[in-house]
Amino acid sequence: EESESKSFPMKKLAIVMVGLPARGKTHIARYIARYLNWVGRATRVFNVGNYRREILGASQPAEFFDPSNQEGRRARWELAIKCLDDLILWLKHQHGQVGIYDATNSTKERRKYVKERLETESIRVLFLESVCEDKSIIEHNIMETKLRMPDYQNMDPERAVEDFQARIANYERANETIDDDEMVSYIKIINVGRTIMLHQLTGYLQGKLVSYLMNMHTLSRSIYLTRHGESEYNAEERLGGDPDLTEKGKRFAIKLAQYIHEEFTAQGKELPLIWTSQLRRSRHTVQFIPTHNVCWRALNEINAGVCEGKTLEEVKQQFPKLYEARLKDKLHFRYPGGESYVDVIQRLEPVMLEVERMREPMLIVSHNAVIRAIYGFLIGKRQDECPNLEVPLHVVIKLTPRAYGCEETRIELNVEDNETVDGSRLDSKLNTRCTKPPKQVFF
Amino acid sequence: EESESKSFPMKKLAIVMVGLPARGKTHIARYIARYLNWVGRATRVFNVGNYRREILGASQPAEFFDPSNQEGRRARWELAIKCLDDLILWLKHQHGQVGIYDATNSTKERRKYVKERLETESIRVLFLESVCEDKSIIEHNIMETKLRMPDYQNMDPERAVEDFQARIANYERANETIDDDEMVSYIKIINVGRTIMLHQLTGYLQGKLVSYLMNMHTLSRSIYLTRHGESEYNAEERLGGDPDLTEKGKRFAIKLAQYIHEEFTAQGKELPLIWTSQLRRSRHTVQFIPTHNVCWRALNEINAGVCEGKTLEEVKQQFPKLYEARLKDKLHFRYPGGESYVDVIQRLEPVMLEVERMREPMLIVSHNAVIRAIYGFLIGKRQDECPNLEVPLHVVIKLTPRAYGCEETRIELNVEDNETVDGSRLDSKLNTRCTKPPKQVFF
Ligand SMILES: Nc1ncnc2c1ncn2[C@@H]1O[C@H](COP(=O)(O)OP(=O)(O)OP(=O)(O)O)[C@@H](O)[C@H]1O
Ligand SMILES: Nc1ncnc2c1ncn2[C@@H]1O[C@H](COP(=O)(O)OP(=O)(O)OP(=O)(O)O)[C@@H](O)[C@H]1O
Ligand SMILES: [Mg+2]
Ligand SMILES: [Mg+2]
């Protein structure tokens, strides 16, 4: 009937990183890519340094980066172009939506070239500069990331730092921070985000990016994820509802409290922030941990709509078509009257923003679908990978974000069917005997 | 069972405006209040100027604002404090969530006082400064807003501008822009938003605010809202579905095209941007307007879930409890398997951000609940007022945002039952005869 295109012809977006070495460009680029992929935008980082290492080999001395070294300059220029070509190819012909060009781009001339190339291809351009003059931060950055690079594989650390600082000095001479006269949209992150400048920046996605960058910090702290203890519905393979914990589930709650005690109190550390859903099985799982917990509605389990309270077998029998549809596309499948994984991810967005913002360690106790989505976010999975991540009951996943990724440990707190767990010295928050019942606050 | 508070004890937020006169503080304060109230946060602007006018009367000469005028200073100081007291009262004891303190606050000393007062009351503080050095913009601002103030009711415009500029000069002498050493969170809007600086700013709501401020502009242009023409379901009072237009509805489509022709093409103006939902009745309503239209899924009618396709009578009969519940709380009532008004407002947020961003006139053709929500946003209604706004079929609402509010005209394009409308000279986009069918793009 109508002539219509199936999707809004969104212009592709290139984010062009700018900044001297060891200013966190790669860190920021990956942080953004992780967020965008999780909200469903196909995003990829194109790192010129990797091209150099792959094509020329890792061990180039600082002299290679000396601007007066003609050959070095030409080689670096060619690599930068090859990398940009690949970014354009990906955006234009390989379904990419956002390409992040991760290179120093520290001169006006270079940025002008990049901007013109991208605009010729009808790609929107956003520059993202990290500025940091604090010497101690830069040194810390070098220690934390650069010494682990293949470039310095077999070098003595002191010499490596020196070499890297010489490399920075080579860039510093020609460095030009982005200026309004370049007529570009830019975000400037100053002093690790204490100040952020936005110039000529509009749009929905851009606004979201700024929100995420505002809340980014580089402190390392662990995030502990776990599903609630076994509930009466788990035991029967029933969906949703608001059931209580089984005896086994309660034993998990005790073991969890003991584990948290050992990780924190026993080591003289303050207890972590504790976030649960508003459902009983999740709140009861933290009942033996003697501190407040925040109960988020957004952490409630995926709403199974018409299938709530039914066993998988019943769903299969009563709604065979739904059962099939779900197997085919678990990400987009929405329970009638309920939610899809995409819906869950959307309502989790504000929670994840808060997770990024927090500087304290935290324990999140939630549900299968929700923990999958959160875990996927933290370890950098695409949206479509989230529904199939492995998140068993009675396992704590300890994640520690690092500069370029996330360290993971899984702690199995197995509670055997016939095991008895000694919780006699633990007071339950649910128990009125408890003299000073820690409060639960709801969100 | 548990000791639990019903809602998360969110800290109250005070936004403290900063800037010389005629920098758009009141404009920005109202813009923010409009957005926050619409997303359901009780927000109020406390304007010191209004206190002055109410308590001391409107006509104070520029000398009143001279810092060397002791009496004027004391009087202004007392007013400022009274206004701040009321803001605190409202946040702490009258269910207010965000209070906007709209005064110049242009010295460090004043800001220090305000900050300490608020922090003593456990209220979070965010400073929001507008900086603008462009003389022509400031003059334009004076002409557009200040001359209409009660202060200048009976004064000759030229003298009024002079007086107001003298008033500004009095503030300029003591003006201090916000500095990092004040140890506060701030947003600085520079040159009407071309550049925005964020300092020590984190948090979800803060991120949203920045997104809205990024997309704000001060160009005036009209936004035309209308529901689709009468559909086959309207005629039967049936909910939802994806019905076609009736004959009468089609006549409205023709009249709408003629009206748009007269408002734009006939006056030598380019056609407006046209946004519709993805439902037939909305897309078909713009079929005679010879330009592209963008079809947003977010503009689709409220999803009536289990009630889709039913007449009101049937709903009453089959779901008497739902019918009752809806009458009691139309805002929060969610059709089982469908949406509530709150859900609709939430999915409209990105659309409204785009509306704010656009600088061209636009026509939005959507549905009853959705147009109510959009109309409520544009004219500054609270969320709970939206479900009861009057938005009849076959009426175009023309809204023109001004500095402090929104001008409204309603154009009734009545199509009588027995009327014939001559659309012979209009080509339908749905009609294959049409030589160059304008494209519809989907979002
Ligand atoms: N905004 C920031 N400013 C300064 N340092 C940051 C920032 N964000 C992250 N970091 C830190 O930067 C380090 C990582 O540096 P990264 O490798 O990302 O720098 P780079 O700019 O990509 O350097 P190169 O140009 O050598 O590739 C991490 O230790 C991280 O904590
Ligand atoms: N960011 C901005 N910078 C400069 N002008 C702006 C900005 N935003 C809005 N304006 C313009 O400011 C005018 C309104 O000025 P407004 O009355 O809000 O100033 P004010 O700072 O509240 O002045 P006063 O201190 O006298 O109350 C409008 O014409 C509007 O277009
Ligand atoms: Mg790097
Ligand atoms: Mg004002």
Side-chain angles (χ1 to χ4, degrees):
Chain A
E1 184 186 8
E2 294 92 335
S3 77
E4 51 190 43
S5 68
K6 270 280 165 310
S7 67
F8 187 73
M10 286 278 275
K11 256 196 169 182
K12 306 288 177 141
L13 176 66
I15 299 176
V16 180
M17 304 302 300
V18 175
L20 291 169
R23 261 60 177 184
K25 294 185 299 299
T26 301
H27 181 101
I28 298 167
R30 292 190 186 194
Y31 178 84
I32 292 175
R34 176 161 68 86
Y35 162 64
L36 291 175
N37 278 313
W38 185 72
V39 296
R41 305 254 181 171
T43 303
R44 193 176 288 177
V45 178
F46 294 82
N47 179 300
V48 173
N50 290 342
Y51 278 66
R52 171 174 53 73
R53 281 182 282 272
E54 260 169 45
I55 294 169
L56 303 183
S59 345
Q60 299 291 337
E63 295 83 61
F64 177 77
F65 301 93
D66 186 337
S68 64
N69 173 347
Q70 285 286 345
E71 204 176 315
R73 262 177 73 176
R74 224 210 37 243
R76 282 184 294 126
W77 170 252
E78 277 166 14
L79 288 165
I81 289 188
K82 175 148 182 34
C83 183
L84 185 60
D85 286 342
D86 286 354
L87 179 147
I88 292 169
L89 184 74
W90 187 67
L91 285 181
K92 302 208 65 156
H93 303 292
Q94 295 165 9
H95 308 289
Q97 293 176 298
V98 182
I100 306 183
Y101 186 48
D102 181 11
T104 48
N105 295 309
S106 52
T107 65
K108 286 193 183 189
E109 186 196 357
R110 175 61 62 99
R111 291 193 291 271
K112 184 159 184 283
Y113 172 83
V114 172
K115 174 178 179 252
E116 283 170 4
R117 268 293 312 273
L118 290 166
E119 285 180 347
T120 309
E121 304 283 355
S122 299
I123 296 167
R124 275 181 310 163
V125 187
L126 166 60
F127 285 91
L128 178 44
E129 178 170 4
S130 174
V131 180
C132 180
E133 296 307 333
D134 186 328
K135 287 255 175 343
S136 66
I137 292 176
I138 294 161
E139 197 148 309
H140 164 269
N141 289 354
I142 295 175
M143 304 290 272
E144 187 171 309
T145 53
K146 301 310 164 193
L147 301 193
R148 297 185 198 164
M149 289 200 310
D151 304 38
Y152 297 118
Q153 214 53 230
N154 305 310
M155 209 186 275
D156 152 72
E158 219 160 287
R159 261 203 58 217
V161 171
E162 250 170 52
D163 182 273
F164 198 82
Q165 271 167 343
R167 192 192 288 187
I168 296 182
N170 279 325
Y171 280 96
E172 259 168 359
R173 269 179 268 157
N175 184 48
E176 298 164 308
T177 185
I178 303 181
D179 197 330
D180 294 0
D181 69 14
E182 291 178 51
M183 308 293 283
V184 294
S185 298
Y186 68 77
I187 300 175
K188 214 176 270 201
I189 301 179
I190 302 165
N191 294 327
V192 202
R194 261 175 67 91
T195 305
I196 296 180
M197 276 183 70
L198 316 174
H199 187 72
Q200 302 261 55
L201 195 70
T202 64
Y204 181 68
L205 189 65
Q206 285 79 348
K208 294 265 216 175
L209 274 184
V210 171
S211 289
Y212 263 83
L213 290 170
M214 275 168 46
N215 290 294
M216 176 178 161
H217 63 77
T218 57
L219 298 180
S220 187
R221 47 86 169 106
S222 297
I223 298 162
Y224 300 78
L225 304 179
T226 185
R227 291 167 62 188
H228 54 82
E230 185 190 78
S231 75
E232 280 157 7
Y233 278 24
N234 288 133
E236 305 165 21
E237 291 210 298
R238 223 173 258 288
L239 294 172
D242 194 8
D244 275 320
L245 295 180
T246 61
E247 276 310 310
K248 203 167 156 184
K250 227 175 264 173
R251 287 203 296 277
F252 173 68
I254 291 172
K255 283 208 159 180
L256 180 65
Q258 289 167 338
Y259 170 70
I260 292 295
H261 176 85
E262 272 148 39
E263 280 276 300
F264 293 88
T265 320
Q267 297 183 31
K269 295 182 195 159
E270 266 189 56
L271 283 170
L273 300 175
I274 299 186
W275 291 0
T276 68
S277 76
Q278 294 185 350
L279 298 170
R280 306 159 63 86
R281 59 193 183 282
S282 147
R283 284 150 53 205
H284 291 188
T285 299
V286 302
Q287 65 180 288
F288 300 107
I289 305 175
T291 183
H292 289 204
N293 55 300
V294 177
C295 304
W296 291 76
R297 204 165 91 93
L299 289 176
N300 284 3
E301 180 55 314
I302 188 169
N303 181 343
V306 297
C307 299
E308 282 279 312
K310 298 198 187 302
T311 64
L312 285 184
E313 204 43 52
E314 285 166 356
V315 172
K316 213 163 163 178
Q317 304 261 307
Q318 296 169 26
F319 306 105
K321 276 193 196 142
L322 291 187
Y323 191 84
E324 280 304 307
R326 180 148 192 281
L327 287 184
K328 272 209 195 101
D329 184 356
K330 212 167 155 189
L331 177 65
H332 294 101
F333 169 78
R334 176 184 279 154
Y335 288 104
E339 296 177 299
S340 65
Y341 264 93
V342 174
D343 295 331
V344 169
I345 286 174
Q346 200 180 325
R347 73 157 137 97
L348 280 175
E349 256 200 67
V351 184
M352 298 325 295
L353 202 90
E354 282 296 292
V355 170
E356 293 293 357
R357 190 160 81 92
M358 294 297 127
R359 286 147 193 257
E360 298 90 356
M362 53 199 313
L363 166 66
I364 302 178
V365 178
S366 176
H367 309 262
N368 201 357
V370 174
I371 292 290
R372 277 178 175 151
I374 295 176
Y375 175 58
F377 174 80
L378 291 170
I379 66 170
K381 293 291 179 189
R382 288 190 319 268
Q383 191 168 80
D384 59 293
E385 297 174 297
C386 291
N388 298 310
L389 298 174
E390 201 56 60
V391 179
L393 276 182
H394 302 169
V395 171
V396 177
I397 305 176
K398 176 178 173 180
L399 298 173
T400 311
R402 299 270 177 228
Y404 295 164
C406 204
E407 233 171 69
E408 174 171 346
T409 325
R410 289 185 173 226
I411 301 97
E412 303 204 4
L413 301 178
N414 274 330
V415 262
E416 299 306 326
D417 278 330
N418 48 3
E419 192 185 4
T420 51
V421 172
D422 180 16
S424 59
R425 279 173 313 165
L426 296 171
D427 256 334
S428 166
K429 285 186 260 185
L430 310 183
N431 199 320
T432 40
R433 281 186 302 107
C434 183
T435 45
K436 210 169 137 220
K439 229 176 35 197
Q440 293 188 323
V441 291
F442 286 72
F443 205 163
Chain B
E1 185 186 7
E2 295 92 338
S3 79
E4 48 187 49
S5 66
K6 270 280 164 314
S7 65
F8 188 72
M10 286 278 276
K11 257 198 169 179
K12 307 289 177 137
L13 177 67
I15 299 176
V16 180
M17 305 301 302
V18 175
L20 291 169
R23 261 60 176 184
K25 293 185 299 299
T26 300
H27 181 101
I28 297 166
R30 294 191 182 195
Y31 178 83
I32 291 175
R34 176 161 68 87
Y35 161 65
L36 290 175
N37 278 314
W38 185 72
V39 295
R41 305 254 182 173
T43 303
R44 194 178 286 176
V45 178
F46 294 81
N47 180 299
V48 174
N50 289 344
Y51 278 65
R52 171 174 53 73
R53 279 182 283 273
E54 260 169 46
I55 294 169
L56 303 183
S59 341
Q60 299 291 340
E63 295 82 61
F64 178 76
F65 301 92
D66 187 335
S68 63
N69 173 349
Q70 285 285 347
E71 204 177 317
R73 259 176 78 176
R74 227 210 35 243
R76 281 185 292 126
W77 169 251
E78 277 166 14
L79 289 165
I81 288 189
K82 174 146 183 39
C83 184
L84 185 59
D85 285 341
D86 286 353
L87 179 147
I88 292 170
L89 184 75
W90 188 67
L91 285 181
K92 301 209 64 160
H93 304 291
Q94 296 167 6
H95 307 289
Q97 295 175 297
V98 182
I100 307 183
Y101 186 48
D102 181 11
T104 48
N105 296 309
S106 52
T107 64
K108 285 193 183 189
E109 187 197 358
R110 175 62 61 100
R111 291 192 291 271
K112 186 158 180 285
Y113 173 83
V114 171
K115 174 179 179 253
E116 285 172 3
R117 268 294 311 273
L118 290 166
E119 285 180 347
T120 308
E121 306 281 356
S122 299
I123 295 167
R124 276 181 309 166
V125 187
L126 166 59
F127 286 91
L128 177 44
E129 177 172 4
S130 174
V131 180
C132 181
E133 296 307 331
D134 186 327
K135 287 256 177 339
S136 66
I137 291 176
I138 295 161
E139 196 147 313
H140 165 269
N141 289 355
I142 296 176
M143 304 292 269
E144 188 171 305
T145 54
K146 303 309 165 192
L147 301 193
R148 295 185 200 164
M149 289 200 308
D151 304 36
Y152 297 118
Q153 212 53 230
N154 304 309
M155 211 187 271
D156 152 70
E158 219 159 287
R159 263 203 57 217
V161 172
E162 251 170 54
D163 182 272
F164 199 82
Q165 271 166 341
R167 190 190 291 186
I168 296 183
N170 279 325
Y171 281 95
E172 258 168 359
R173 269 180 268 158
N175 185 48
E176 296 164 308
T177 185
I178 303 181
D179 198 329
D180 292 0
D181 69 15
E182 293 178 50
M183 309 291 284
V184 294
S185 299
Y186 68 76
I187 301 176
K188 216 177 268 203
I189 302 180
I190 301 164
N191 294 329
V192 203
R194 259 174 69 91
T195 305
I196 296 180
M197 276 183 71
L198 316 175
H199 186 71
Q200 302 262 56
L201 196 69
T202 64
Y204 181 68
L205 189 65
Q206 286 78 348
K208 294 267 216 174
L209 274 183
V210 171
S211 290
Y212 262 84
L213 290 171
M214 275 168 48
N215 289 294
M216 175 179 161
H217 62 76
T218 58
L219 297 180
S220 186
R221 46 84 168 109
S222 296
I223 298 162
Y224 300 77
L225 304 179
T226 186
R227 291 167 61 189
H228 55 80
E230 184 191 79
S231 76
E232 280 157 8
Y233 277 23
N234 289 132
E236 303 165 23
E237 290 209 299
R238 223 173 257 287
L239 294 171
D242 194 8
D244 275 320
L245 295 179
T246 61
E247 275 311 310
K248 205 167 156 185
K250 226 175 265 173
R251 287 204 296 277
F252 172 69
I254 291 172
K255 282 208 158 179
L256 179 64
Q258 288 167 340
Y259 170 71
I260 292 295
H261 176 85
E262 271 149 38
E263 281 276 300
F264 292 88
T265 321
Q267 298 181 31
K269 296 181 194 159
E270 265 189 56
L271 283 170
L273 301 176
I274 298 186
W275 290 1
T276 68
S277 77
Q278 294 185 352
L279 297 171
R280 304 158 65 85
R281 57 193 184 282
S282 147
R283 285 149 54 206
H284 291 188
T285 300
V286 302
Q287 66 180 289
F288 299 108
I289 305 175
T291 182
H292 290 203
N293 55 301
V294 178
C295 303
W296 292 76
R297 201 164 92 94
L299 289 176
N300 284 4
E301 181 54 313
I302 188 170
N303 181 342
V306 296
C307 299
E308 282 278 312
K310 299 201 187 298
T311 65
L312 285 183
E313 205 41 52
E314 285 165 356
V315 172
K316 214 162 162 177
Q317 304 261 308
Q318 297 170 25
F319 306 104
K321 277 194 198 143
L322 291 186
Y323 191 85
E324 280 305 307
R326 180 150 192 280
L327 286 184
K328 269 208 199 104
D329 185 357
K330 213 167 155 188
L331 176 65
H332 295 101
F333 170 78
R334 176 183 279 153
Y335 288 104
E339 296 177 299
S340 66
Y341 264 94
V342 174
D343 295 331
V344 169
I345 286 174
Q346 200 181 326
R347 73 157 137 98
L348 279 175
E349 256 200 68
V351 183
M352 297 327 295
L353 202 91
E354 282 296 293
V355 169
E356 291 295 356
R357 189 161 81 93
M358 294 296 128
R359 286 146 193 257
E360 298 91 355
M362 52 200 314
L363 167 66
I364 301 178
V365 178
S366 177
H367 308 262
N368 200 358
V370 175
I371 291 290
R372 278 179 174 149
I374 295 177
Y375 174 59
F377 174 79
L378 291 170
I379 66 170
K381 292 290 179 190
R382 290 191 316 269
Q383 190 168 81
D384 59 292
E385 297 174 298
C386 290
N388 298 309
L389 298 173
E390 201 55 60
V391 179
L393 276 182
H394 302 170
V395 170
V396 177
I397 304 177
K398 176 178 175 181
L399 296 173
T400 312
R402 299 272 177 225
Y404 295 164
C406 204
E407 232 171 69
E408 172 171 347
T409 325
R410 289 187 173 227
I411 301 96
E412 303 203 6
L413 300 178
N414 275 330
V415 263
E416 299 306 326
D417 279 331
N418 48 4
E419 192 185 4
T420 51
V421 172
D422 181 16
S424 60
R425 279 172 314 164
L426 296 171
D427 256 334
S428 167
K429 286 186 258 184
L430 312 182
N431 198 321
T432 40
R433 280 187 303 107
C434 182
T435 44
K436 210 169 139 220
K439 226 172 40 194
Q440 293 186 322
V441 292
F442 286 70
F443 204 163

